[in-house]
């Protein structure tokens, strides 16, 4: 009497007709949520700064930077919102938008860190913590499980 052959176990090969498990979309959904939250905050901030600039600041003190900054932040927020929405809808374009906006956010975070480094450790620490948000979105959008989840559209 021998041991039975082919008993199922944790390392047993998949049988005929069994499908592999569907990819888990946790990384993609988290990247989309981070991108949507960041985009919403950027759009809100751009609208707030724009309203403040045009209602509270005297026209002779408005510089081109004060006018263009809300426009650029609002545009970046729009692309974050668009990328997060498209990624949640399982499109590769959304993944690319989230990755690109995250890289742009990291570049601006590095610029901010270098600009505030001479102002003391408090502002530098804030800038470092602030750079964790686009870094997290970038990593979550770029990992292979996100691509597998997009490719396994129903």
């Amino acid at each position: 009497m021998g041991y039975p052959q082919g008993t199922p176990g944790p390392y047993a090969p998949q049988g005929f007709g069994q499908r592999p498990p569907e990819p888990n979309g946790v990384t993609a959904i988290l990247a989309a949520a981070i991108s949507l939250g960041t985009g919403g905050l950027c759009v809100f901030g751009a609208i707030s700064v724009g309203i403040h600039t045009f209602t509270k600041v005297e026209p002779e003190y408005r510089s081109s930077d004060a006018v263009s900054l809300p426009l650029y932040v609002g545009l970046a927020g729009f692309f974050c919102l668009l990328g997060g929405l498209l990624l949640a809808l399982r499109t590769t374009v959304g993944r690319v938008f989230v990755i690109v906006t995250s890289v742009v956010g990291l570049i601006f975070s590095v610029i901010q860190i270098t600009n505030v480094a001479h102002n003391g450790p408090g502002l530098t620490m804030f800038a470092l913590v602030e750079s964790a948000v686009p870094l997290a979105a970038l990593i979550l959008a770029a990992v292979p499980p996100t691509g597998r989840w997009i490719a396994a559209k129903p």
Side-chain angles (χ1 to χ4, degrees), residues 2-133:
Y3 292 105
Q5 297 296 321
T7 57
Y11 303 107
Q14 292 183 350
F16 180 73
Q18 291 180 345
R19 296 186 312 196
E22 290 198 24
N24 192 345
V26 171
T27 57
I29 293 168
L30 283 174
I34 291 171
S35 185
L36 287 170
T38 304
L41 287 174
C42 285
V43 169
F44 175 75
I47 291 171
S48 299
V49 170
I51 289 172
H52 176 74
T53 300
F54 289 107
T55 59
K56 304 288 184 194
V57 177
E58 297 297 325
E60 60 267 9
Y61 295 117
R62 289 185 200 145
S63 66
S64 63
D65 291 340
V67 174
S68 62
L69 180 67
L71 178 68
Y72 294 142
V73 172
L75 192 62
F78 170 74
F79 283 119
C80 283
L81 286 171
L82 183 65
L85 179 66
L86 289 175
L87 182 58
L89 294 174
R90 289 183 156 185
T91 62
T92 306
V93 175
R95 183 182 186 194
V96 170
F97 270 39
V98 170
I99 290 172
V100 168
T101 56
S102 297
V103 168
V104 170
L106 279 174
I107 291 170
F108 284 121
S109 292
V110 168
I111 291 170
Q112 184 179 6
I113 289 169
T114 58
N115 285 340
V116 301
H118 63 279
N119 290 334
L123 288 175
T124 305
M125 185 55 84
F126 176 75
L128 284 172
V129 170
E130 184 182 35
S131 65
V133 174

